[in-house]
Amino acid sequence: MDEKAGSAPLPGDAPLPGEAALHGDPGLQPERTALAWGRTVLTLIAASAICLRWLPEQGLFVLTLFGLTVATGSAIYLTQRRRYRRSAAGIKAEQLAPDIAAVFWTAGACVVLGALGVWLVLV
């Protein structure tokens, strides 16, 4: 919304203290991508919690799977701000390259964690 028209800005529009706004449109692709990465983190954390139900039967293997899942989710969470800033700057400059490494790393981690989860259920 526009402040000139007399309406207040949305809370998500405000830049962090000490920084300028990265762009003027709060519905741009970086916000949608940040939400998607956030859902990925939430899914990984939920999956890690579900794995704990096999802790009494499987022991150390489940703790290893839990640790890998939490580490993957944490890595995504900790790199979120950098990806958002890069996307917003790329859109503003009209030159945005996809973050192929992050997508392949996350896909690979999900395949490995999925395979370990199947192993856990079958053994």
Side-chain angles (χ1 to χ4, degrees), residues 27-54:
L28 273 177
Q29 179 264 336
E31 283 78 12
R32 294 190 306 272
T33 302
L35 289 171
W37 282 109
R39 288 189 301 269
T40 302
V41 169
L42 184 61
T43 302
L44 285 168
I45 300 301
S48 69
I50 290 170
C51 288
L52 290 177
R53 83 178 270 206
W54 285 288

Side-chain angles (χ1 to χ4, degrees), residues 21-105:
L22 295 175
H23 56 79
D25 185 358
L28 273 177
Q29 179 264 336
E31 283 78 12
R32 294 190 306 272
T33 302
L35 289 171
W37 282 109
R39 288 189 301 269
T40 302
V41 169
L42 184 61
T43 302
L44 285 168
I45 300 301
S48 69
I50 290 170
C51 288
L52 290 177
R53 83 178 270 206
W54 285 288
L55 185 60
E57 294 87 21
Q58 300 292 334
L60 185 60
F61 181 76
V62 170
L63 288 178
T64 302
L65 183 58
F66 175 79
L68 287 172
T69 308
V70 170
T72 302
S74 297
I76 292 170
Y77 179 77
L78 292 173
T79 58
Q80 178 88 6
R81 170 105 35 226
R82 179 185 52 82
R83 278 192 307 274
Y84 174 83
R85 289 183 191 280
R86 193 178 65 75
S87 294
I91 287 174
K92 191 173 185 177
E94 296 183 5
Q95 292 182 336
L96 179 63
D99 193 356
I100 295 171
V103 173
F104 278 122
W105 185 85

